[in-house]
Amino acid sequence: MSPDAELRWARAGLARLMEPNDLTGTALVTVAGPVEAYRIICHSSGKAPVIEQQAVAELLGGEAALRGAHRLDAGLERWRPRVDIDGPTRDLATIRRFGGDLLIPEDPGWPSQLDDLGLGAPLCLWWRGASGIAQLPAAGSSMSVVGSRDATDYGRHVTYEMVAELCQRGITIVSGGAYGIDARAHEAALNADQGSERPSTVAIMAGGLDRFYPAGNDELLRRVESTGLLVAEVPPGTAPTRWRFLQRNRILAALCGATLVVEARWRSGALTTALRASEIGREVGAVPGSVFSSNSAGCHRLLREGSAIPVTDAAEALELLGPGASTPTGEPPTRQASPARDHDGLDIQDLLLMDALPLRQGAAPDKLATVSGLGIGAVLGGLSRLQARGLAEQGPGGWRRKRSG
C-alpha cells in the first residue's frame, strides 16, 4: 500500500470509529498522525502510550471541565468496540461504486476554511456527485442557507427569490438537504444553474451517502448529485442521528463565507449553524418575518441579540460575503426599487405647501399660507418651484395641485 493510500485508508477507518466532532480523537490524530492513531486504536491493547496521553491532554487543556470524558483512555474505550479491520476497504469501495470518493486534509482540494474549526474540523469528507470534489467552492463564493423544515409560503418564496439571484452571480448555495428551507434553497439553485464549472449547490448530509435522507427528498437529492455535490463526514452506512445532525451544522457554518437564516423557530437547529458561524468569524444574516409568525422567532432572536444582521434581498445577502464575492456580470444583484413619488426630493416647506394645495378648486396664496402654516414669501417661492416640477398649476380660481398623467 502506497503512503497516500495508507493515509486515506487510515482516515476512512477513523471516520467510522469516531463520532463527528470527537475532540479527543482529532487531538490524537493531530499528535500522532492518522496512520499511527489508527494503529494505536486497532492494533494495540491496554492504555495508550504515555507520550500520546500527555500530548493529547495538553492539546485539550482548554477542555478541563470535560477532562474525564476527553481522556485518551476514555476515548479508546469508546472506539475499540467499533473496530472493523475490513471497514475502511469496504467503505471506500462503496463510495466509489456510487461515483464518489474520499477527500482528506492532505489532498490539494481540501477546503482550508474548515481548519477554522480547530480540533472540531472533520477527519475527512466523503462525497458523491458529477462535479468533482476539486470544484468545492471557496468560502468567499459560497453561502449556507438554512431554516425551518416546516417552512411557510413566505419563507419558501423569499428563499427561492434570493437564492436564484445569488446563483446567477456565481454563488454556490450550501444547505443540509432537509425539508423546508433547505429543499427550497437547493431547488432554486438547481433551477438557476448557469452551467459553470463550480456546482450551483452542495448538500451537507448527516448520514452516510449510500442512501438519500430524508426519503421524501430522494428526487431532489438525485438532482443535486447530478449537477452538484453531496458531502458527509461520516462513512457509508452511517445513520443520521440527532447528534450527527447537530454536528453537521458546524461544517455548514465553516465551509461558507456567510450563513443566511431565512426562517427559524425560537429553538431551531438552524440557529446552531448561525451561532457556530458567528463564533468562527463568519457573517450571519437573518431574514425578518412577521412578528406573529413562530417560524421567524429565531430570526428575530438573532437580530435582537446582535448575532445577525437583517437581510431583505439578494443584494444585502451578497454583502455578507464582502467585496470579494463572486459577481460574474460585474454588477451587484438588483434591489427591488420603490416607484418614484412626486414629492421625492422636496424640502419640508415645499412638502407642507404641496399638502396644502387643493386637488380641484384653486386657492389663493394667502389661503395656502394659512393652511400650510408658512409665510406668504415662502408660499410664493414654493409655488414657483412646484410649478417648475410640474406639481402645481395656476388657474382662474387660484393655485391647485397638478394631476399626473
Side-chain angles (χ1 to χ4, degrees):
M1 186 181 296
S2 69
D4 178 73
E6 186 179 23
L7 193 62
R8 199 169 303 275
W9 188 84
R11 284 195 176 272
L14 291 167
R16 179 162 292 283
L17 299 179
M18 300 174 181
E19 284 293 322
N21 204 23
D22 187 329
L23 300 184
T24 307
T26 51
L28 175 61
V29 172
T30 301
V31 167
V35 175
E36 178 62 15
Y38 193 64
R39 188 199 66 77
I40 290 173
I41 298 170
C42 299
H43 301 292
S44 62
S45 59
K47 294 185 176 182
V50 174
I51 295 178
E52 277 76 12
Q53 289 190 50
Q54 293 175 342
V56 168
E58 290 177 4
L59 204 54
L60 294 173
E63 302 291 339
L66 298 176
R67 187 166 294 164
H70 283 189
R71 285 186 301 105
L72 183 52
D73 285 337
L76 293 176
E77 291 178 6
R78 293 195 301 271
W79 307 324
R80 281 176 174 162
R82 292 183 170 185
V83 169
D84 179 355
I85 298 302
D86 297 325
T89 301
R90 185 173 59 250
D91 291 338
L92 288 167
T94 299
I95 197 65
R96 288 164 182 163
R97 188 168 68 250
F98 285 107
D101 211 329
L102 181 69
L103 184 70
I104 60 176
E106 292 80 7
D107 288 332
W110 180 259
S112 59
Q113 60 265 36
L114 292 178
D115 297 341
D116 291 343
L117 291 171
L119 288 178
L123 293 166
C124 57
L125 291 175
W126 305 82
W127 66 270
R128 56 185 285 192
S131 300
I133 198 67
Q135 295 178 347
L136 197 65
S141 59
S142 58
M143 181 177 297
S144 62
V145 178
V146 295
S148 296
R149 285 173 170 78
D150 59 336
T152 65
D153 289 340
Y154 164 78
R156 287 191 289 268
H157 179 75
V158 169
T159 299
Y160 197 94
E161 293 297 318
M162 288 191 185
V163 165
E165 193 161 357
L166 287 170
C167 285
Q168 290 170 4
R169 303 293 158 174
I171 303 302
T172 295
I173 301 301
V174 181
S175 197
Y179 295 128
I181 298 300
D182 285 20
R184 193 63 168 163
H186 290 307
E187 180 184 1
L190 290 167
N191 291 343
D193 188 3
Q194 302 293 303
S196 62
E197 293 181 357
R198 288 182 304 193
S200 62
T201 188
V202 176
I204 309 297
M205 311 304 291
L209 299 183
D210 53 319
R211 65 187 180 109
F212 296 122
Y213 184 90
N217 280 349
D218 182 282
E219 182 178 349
L220 174 65
L221 294 174
R222 289 188 187 280
R223 288 184 64 199
V224 173
E225 179 190 21
S226 67
T227 61
L229 286 171
L230 302 176
V231 178
E233 66 174 317
V234 293
T238 305
T241 62
R242 174 181 285 273
W243 171 261
R244 291 164 188 158
F245 272 111
L246 289 173
Q247 298 311 313
R248 178 273 309 272
N249 292 344
R250 80 191 194 286
I251 299 179
L252 278 170
L255 192 61
C256 302
T259 291
L260 177 63
V261 185
V262 180
E263 280 189 322
R265 291 179 176 270
W266 185 261
R267 296 184 182 278
S268 168
L271 298 187
T272 65
T273 305
L275 295 176
R276 195 71 180 95
S278 182
E279 288 173 357
I280 60 175
R282 304 289 195 268
E283 292 291 342
V284 177
V287 176
S290 168
V291 296
F292 301 108
S293 173
S294 59
N295 279 56
S296 291
C299 291
H300 298 158
R301 177 183 178 184
L302 289 172
L303 294 171
R304 185 181 182 206
E305 295 174 351
S307 301
I309 62 174
V311 170
T312 61
D313 58 25
E316 292 176 354
L318 190 66
E319 289 172 3
L320 296 173
L321 292 172
S326 180
T327 52
T329 64
E331 301 174 359
T334 56
R335 296 181 184 269
Q336 289 186 340
S338 300
R341 297 169 294 185
D342 291 341
H343 59 266
D344 285 349
L346 295 180
D347 63 22
I348 294 176
Q349 288 191 342
D350 288 355
L351 281 172
L352 291 171
L353 179 58
M354 185 175 175
D355 287 340
L357 285 169
L359 293 174
R360 295 182 178 84
Q361 188 175 359
D366 57 344
K367 175 67 173 178
L368 293 172
T370 301
V371 175
S372 66
L374 301 173
I376 189 65
V379 168
L380 294 174
L383 288 172
S384 177
R385 289 188 294 272
L386 293 178
Q387 185 180 40
R389 291 188 56 166
L391 300 177
E393 60 183 358
Q394 185 177 21
W399 290 88
R400 67 179 183 179
R401 189 180 303 184
K402 186 174 183 180
R403 298 182 181 182
S404 60

